[in-house]
Amino acid sequence: MAGAAGGTQVILRPMTLADLPKVEALDRESFLTPWPQNAFCYELTDNSHSICWVAELTTPGYEPILVGSVVIWLVVDEAHLATLAVSGAYRRHGVARRLLAQTLSVAYESGARQALLEVRESNQAARNLYYQFGFEQVGTRRAYYSDTHEDAILMTLPELDPDRLSVLLSREEN
Ligand SMILES: CC(C)(COP(=O)(O)OP(=O)(O)OC[C@H]1O[C@@H](n2cnc3c(N)ncnc32)[C@H](O)[C@@H]1OP(=O)(O)O)[C@@H](O)C(=O)NCCC(=O)NCCS
């Protein structure tokens, strides 16, 4: 999408309160069980350990379109991926890869040295994305998801490498 005709590009920036309606709509579109009402607002206003960013598709002369969002919790030296979503029509263009690389870099600058996440066993798209970052499967949380009772795969990235994140961030979009 970057460099496409008409100057269209995807930019990454910290989430703001004004983004919340679109972030919540994206969350509802993307997950069987969306976050509770006010959860994103709490992350922005009350959780100082939360790193919240969005991806926007911008075209000169048009309203930007919010196409992705991510929340990472910084717990001492660990970055915990809380949620990540990209709008259906804008998937497979590297938006999630860039959002995750950017926010893990921010987490690194704030002291994170490792990362952790849970992902539904059936979510092969997300698991492939995490493998690109070097996440490894280290365990299973049985029936972790209350909606479908699906297992969660626990994945960790034992050493956050800022150089690798920078390569993933700047990789050409599809
Ligand atoms: C998972 C998700 C965030 C990926 O977003 P995306 O912007 O389409 O991902 P990217 O384009 O950055 O893809 C990066 C890599 O992820 C993997 N990937 C992404 N979508 C994939 C798919 N549909 N099938 C297989 N692999 C996929 C690929 O390895 C891809 O690298 P490649 O393009 O070099 O092949 C998106 O599908 C989504 O929002 N899903 C619903 C919400 C969700 O499951 N979030 C994760 C919760 S743990």
Side-chain angles (χ1 to χ4, degrees):
M1 280 181 287
T8 297
Q9 60 176 338
V10 174
I11 59 141
L12 309 179
R13 60 165 177 80
M15 190 187 295
T16 68
L17 286 173
D19 294 320
L20 288 182
K22 289 177 184 170
V23 167
E24 288 161 356
L26 173 59
D27 187 53
R28 284 194 298 275
E29 169 198 320
S30 306
F31 295 103
L32 201 55
T33 304
W35 273 19
Q37 203 174 5
N38 294 327
F40 285 98
C41 183
Y42 170 83
E43 297 302 333
L44 282 180
T45 56
D46 288 322
N47 187 355
S48 58
H49 301 295
S50 195
I51 298 166
C52 310
W53 280 59
V54 294
E56 254 183 1
L57 188 70
T58 63
T59 307
Y62 292 89
E63 274 288 297
I65 302 170
L66 191 139
V67 295
S69 71
V70 61
V71 176
I72 284 182
W73 294 318
L74 184 60
V75 185
V76 195
D77 68 342
E78 189 174 271
H80 190 152
L81 180 62
T83 189
L84 168 66
V86 171
S87 185
Y90 299 95
R91 288 182 188 161
R92 298 312 302 262
H93 292 289
V95 174
R97 179 169 52 236
R98 290 183 55 209
L99 261 181
L100 189 56
Q102 173 65 36
T103 44
L104 286 176
S105 297
V106 172
Y108 182 87
E109 283 160 19
S110 303
R113 292 294 176 268
Q114 53 190 311
L116 166 82
L117 61 85
E118 292 98 9
V119 57
R120 284 179 197 256
E121 192 171 29
S122 63
N123 194 345
Q124 200 56 55
R127 289 173 67 178
N128 288 350
L129 167 70
Y130 304 140
Y131 286 132
Q132 282 195 353
F133 281 74
F135 278 89
E136 299 159 6
Q137 180 173 335
V138 291
T140 303
R141 299 199 200 277
R142 293 277 166 226
Y144 182 76
Y145 298 97
S146 54
D147 46 18
T148 58
H149 307 292
E150 186 173 353
D151 292 349
I153 304 298
L154 178 65
M155 302 181 85
T156 62
L157 181 52
E159 268 183 56
L160 276 174
D161 175 354
D163 294 334
R164 183 171 188 173
L165 293 175
S166 157
V167 169
L168 287 162
L169 180 60
S170 56
R171 221 177 96 178
E172 276 295 297
E173 288 177 26
N174 308 330

